């Protein structure tokens, strides 16, 4: 698959009939927001089959004999045993255990592909390059774009085979690209020059075009965080529910591991990612980064804010452990401040730190 430098351009699929672009200030600027019926598109994605353009994401390619063992040293995930035809998620942490990068991986044809948030592929590649030393690896920006398939009926419509298990990876017909199963969806990584051809092939099979509004609404409902939107510069993996999906708790040393181990074994995360239901009567909604208040006290931070086809206006929020989860909250700043309530099903189970449990057992003897 050819590679080139990362580019920041609008997707050619924005020229399709009915495509409505994301606002300029959106993290998804450059791809379609919706195709004229966002709630109908969400219902189709939840019940039938839909496709959306996520080609604004960047893809880093890592080749060379040491690719897996080298990436294993630099990330939170166990990658020495990542076989061909499989994928996973991984984080790059700083020395304090705070999340710097989140990537979704696919290993195929002796190459590990790491796709990540818009604008973050080149910074990730630069970091990886700085850590090469004597390892037999090469890094580049892959000229691949991401298309995502959603819905329970999508496998019966497309004319190529989809992987059966989450994070399994298959080569696409013709050997130019791959498809990776994700929890609740499928990602296609295809040559950017062929984005329109693949879109046409999929939609002509009966899969409905949709945009990022649909993807974001279903992602928020599923409590899946997004780096830089649902996280801030202080976020550690446990706070954002990236344990265990992107963090292996029984692997060798990597930068930031001490924080992960300490929280897992003897502590609790200071914040927790939860779903907020927002008051839909005002015409305004809070924005990403706005505070969440209990009375006059700031107890959290608003992440993704979206209107869901069934749940109405909802948001992800990082809330302090001390934040009340059964009382009224206020989300937003200034004239955007509205009533909010924590979805009780989104409150995570209390983490049992094995180190504390062992110490308590010893004290009880």
């Amino acid at each position: 698959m050819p590679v080139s430098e990362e580019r920041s351009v609008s997707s050619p699929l924005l020229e399709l009939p009915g495509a409505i672009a994301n606002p300029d200030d959106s993290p998804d600027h450059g791809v379609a927001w919706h195709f004229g019926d966002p709630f109908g598109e969400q219902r189709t994605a939840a019940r039938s089959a839909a496709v959306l353009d996520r080609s604004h994401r960047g893809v880093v390619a890592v080749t060379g004999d040491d690719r897996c063992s080298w990436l294993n040293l630099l990330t939170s995930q166990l990658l020495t045993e990542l076989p061909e035809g499989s994928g996973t998620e991984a984080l790059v942490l700083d020395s304090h255990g705070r999340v710097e990068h989140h990537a979704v991986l696919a290993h195929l044809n002796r190459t590990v592909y790491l796709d990540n948030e818009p604008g973050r592929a080149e910074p990730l590649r630069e970091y990886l390059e700085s850590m090469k030393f004597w390892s037999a690896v090469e890094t580049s920006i892959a000229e691949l774009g991401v298309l995502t398939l959603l819905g329970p009926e999508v496998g019966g419509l497309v004319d190529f085979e989809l992987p059966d298990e989450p994070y399994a990876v298959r080569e696409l017909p013709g050997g130019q690209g791959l498809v990776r199963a994700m929890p609740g969806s499928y990602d296609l990584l295809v040559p950017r020059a062929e984005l329109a051809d693949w879109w046409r092939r999929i939609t002509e099979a009966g899969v409905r075009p949709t945009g990022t509004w649909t993807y974001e609404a279903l992602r928020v409902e599923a409590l899946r965080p997004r780096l830089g939107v649902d996280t801030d510069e202080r976020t550690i993996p446990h706070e954002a529910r990236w344990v265990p999906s992107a963090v292996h708790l029984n692997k060798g040393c990597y930068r930031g591991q001490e924080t992960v181990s300490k929280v897992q074994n003897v502590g609790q995360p200071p914040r927790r990612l939860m779903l907020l239901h927002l008051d839909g009567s005002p015409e305004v909604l809070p924005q990403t980064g706005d505070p969440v208040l209990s009375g006059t006290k700031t107890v959290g931070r608003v992440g993704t804010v979206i209107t869901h086809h069934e749940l109405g206006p909802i948001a992800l929020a990082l809330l302090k452990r001390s934040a009340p989860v059964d009382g009224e909250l206020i989300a937003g700043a200034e004239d955007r401040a509205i009533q909010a309530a924590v979805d009780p099903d989104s409150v995570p189970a209390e983490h049992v730190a094995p180190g504390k449990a062992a110490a308590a057992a010893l004290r009880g003897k």
Side-chain angles (χ1 to χ4, degrees), residues 215-232:
Y215 184 85
E216 293 294 282
L218 299 183
R219 177 182 66 80
V220 170
E221 180 187 15
L223 294 167
R224 296 196 303 271
R226 183 172 180 181
L227 184 69
V229 181
D230 303 306
T231 68
D232 58 19

Side-chain angles (χ1 to χ4, degrees), residues 274-292:
M274 289 185 244
L275 178 68
L276 297 182
H277 292 276
L278 305 175
D279 181 3
S281 55
E283 294 184 0
V284 297
L285 291 173
Q287 296 178 2
T288 298
D290 278 352
V292 179

Side-chain angles (χ1 to χ4, degrees), residues 44-50 150-158 162 207:
T44 299
R47 302 169 187 173
S48 180
L150 298 163
E153 298 179 3
V154 70
L157 295 175
V158 296
L162 298 175
V207 180

Side-chain angles (χ1 to χ4, degrees), residues 237-299:
H238 281 85
E239 293 179 326
R241 298 175 182 256
W242 272 320
V243 179
S245 63
V247 176
H248 196 285
L249 295 171
N250 298 303
K251 62 163 286 187
C253 185
Y254 58 92
R255 190 174 70 175
Q257 183 192 23
E258 182 179 356
T259 296
V260 173
S261 179
K262 185 179 294 184
V263 172
Q264 180 66 23
N265 291 300
V266 297
Q268 299 285 352
R271 298 178 295 177
R272 301 179 292 178
L273 186 75
M274 289 185 244
L275 178 68
L276 297 182
H277 292 276
L278 305 175
D279 181 3
S281 55
E283 294 184 0
V284 297
L285 291 173
Q287 296 178 2
T288 298
D290 278 352
V292 179
L293 292 89
S294 175
T296 59
K297 184 179 180 181
T298 297
V299 295

